Amino acid sequence: MRKYTRGKSTTDIFITILMVFVCFIALYPVFYTVIVSFNNSEDTLRGGVYFWPRAFTLESYKTVFQDKSIIKAFGITIMRTLIGTVASVLFTSMVGYAFSKKHIWGNRVYMIIGTITMFFSGGLIPTFILFKNIGLYDNFLVYVIPSLFNFYNMIIFVAFFRELPVGLEESAKLDGANDLVIFVRIILPLSMPVVATIALFNGVWQWNDYFTGVMYINNADLQPIQTFLYRIVASASASKAVVSLPAGISAQQVSSQSVRLATMVVTTLPIVCVYPFLQKYFVKGMLIGSIKG
């Protein structure tokens, strides 16, 4: 018994050390981005900044928040995340509720067609031509309409809806409720775990998506913050290149690298703050359909 306990304890210690090392490797780049964004850019170029800011300054963040284009890009990102997430969850859940009814004609055929779309798409050029022909190019709705429906998310909704007691709907129909009333007043309130999960999936994607803005938005007033950040990174010829600065901030205090890192921190912070509050719903939603009974 002592040998077994000692061996088990040694194994636990080794696994703990290994996991701490893995976590450090995964988290250190994020930590390094934060500390360098708070460090004086001229001092950063000397090197040696690893675990804390050597010359603490907030000038990079002042540059970020004094740039009106960045503030406008933040507003676009917040709007597209809120509107896109709510619209996608409502639309996908309604389609999922319909697909959860096995008596609907053609249910299996539609599922097969939808599954095919998960692995094959029309391609980038046909999609671009389609969006331009229907008026979505340089239009805010390009962030909302194409993401209204996601087949994978619909499958998660279907799996959850099919586990709900059938008697709930039958009793509501006896009271005169139609399908829309049943869905809004009974099904959705009971589906908050899966709704929160899909909302988290969609919200994180909406917040982090830069490609849509790069491909389908030419108007600078409609670009989200991630596209703005992408263009800052792509347009910088070197980390020492100095960006255009607001009045009162010298080139020695702020460089393009420090501004990029500060923008990264600012764009990541909101989603990092929201995630812990939705984590319990996320874990529960991921287990949907894995356990029966």
Side-chain angles (χ1 to χ4, degrees), residues 5-288:
T5 304
R6 185 180 303 170
K8 184 178 181 181
S9 177
T10 303
T11 303
D12 291 342
I13 293 174
F14 173 76
I15 293 175
T16 301
I17 294 175
L18 178 62
M19 293 307 299
V20 169
F21 178 71
V22 171
C23 291
F24 174 79
I25 293 177
L27 295 177
Y28 180 74
V30 179
F31 177 73
Y32 179 79
T33 299
V34 174
I35 62 173
V36 173
S37 68
F38 283 107
N39 197 70
N40 181 278
S41 60
E42 184 181 13
D43 181 75
T44 302
L45 296 177
R46 294 165 47 199
V49 179
Y50 300 113
F51 295 102
W52 57 80
R54 186 168 53 205
F56 183 85
T57 180
L58 294 176
E59 300 302 331
S60 297
Y61 289 91
K62 290 180 181 179
T63 304
V64 171
F65 288 107
Q66 288 178 15
D67 191 335
K68 293 182 179 180
S69 58
I70 294 180
I71 302 300
K72 189 176 295 182
F74 259 112
I76 294 295
T77 300
I78 294 173
M79 287 178 59
R80 70 167 290 187
T81 301
L82 293 178
I83 298 175
T85 300
V86 173
S88 178
V89 169
L90 287 177
F91 188 83
T92 305
S93 61
M94 287 191 291
V95 178
Y97 179 64
F99 270 83
S100 66
K101 309 303 176 185
K102 296 182 180 180
H103 64 272
I104 293 181
W105 185 86
N107 188 297
R108 181 171 298 182
V109 176
Y110 296 143
M111 290 293 289
I112 294 174
I113 295 175
T115 303
I116 293 175
T117 64
M118 294 176 62
F119 302 98
F120 302 97
S121 65
L124 182 60
I125 295 178
T127 302
F128 179 86
I129 296 174
L130 174 64
F131 285 2
K132 190 170 185 179
N133 289 339
I134 64 178
L136 290 181
Y137 184 76
D138 251 357
N139 191 327
F140 178 81
L141 293 179
V142 75
Y143 300 128
V144 180
I145 295 178
S147 62
L148 275 178
F149 178 76
N150 183 283
F151 189 78
Y152 176 78
N153 293 342
M154 190 211 69
I155 293 176
I156 298 178
F157 273 118
V158 170
F160 185 88
F161 292 153
R162 286 180 177 176
E163 293 182 357
L164 295 176
V166 181
L168 291 175
E169 297 184 39
E170 293 178 350
S171 61
K173 288 182 179 179
L174 290 175
D175 293 334
N178 56 31
D179 289 330
L180 181 60
V181 173
I182 293 174
F183 176 74
V184 174
R185 296 189 177 182
I186 299 177
I187 303 300
L188 273 186
L190 294 175
S191 306
M192 283 299 106
V194 68
V195 168
T197 302
I198 301 303
L200 181 61
F201 283 161
N202 199 275
V204 171
W205 179 84
Q206 288 279 6
W207 186 271
N208 292 330
D209 175 49
Y210 74 95
F211 188 75
T212 303
V214 172
M215 289 300 302
Y216 308 116
I217 296 295
N218 189 43
N219 186 354
D221 293 335
L222 292 176
Q223 68 177 4
I225 187 63
Q226 300 298 348
T227 302
F228 184 87
L229 178 59
Y230 167 81
R231 287 175 175 167
I232 289 178
V233 175
S235 63
S237 58
S239 61
K240 294 182 181 181
V242 177
V243 296
S244 57
L245 306 175
I249 300 179
S250 64
Q252 287 73 27
Q253 291 174 308
V254 179
S255 68
S256 62
Q257 180 190 22
S258 61
V259 172
R260 290 199 302 270
L261 295 179
T263 308
M264 290 179 187
V265 174
V266 172
T267 56
T268 307
L269 184 62
I271 207 69
V272 171
C273 293
V274 170
Y275 183 81
F277 297 99
L278 297 177
Q279 185 178 11
K280 60 179 180 179
Y281 297 108
F282 175 77
V283 174
K284 186 174 181 180
M286 289 299 293
L287 294 176
I288 291 172

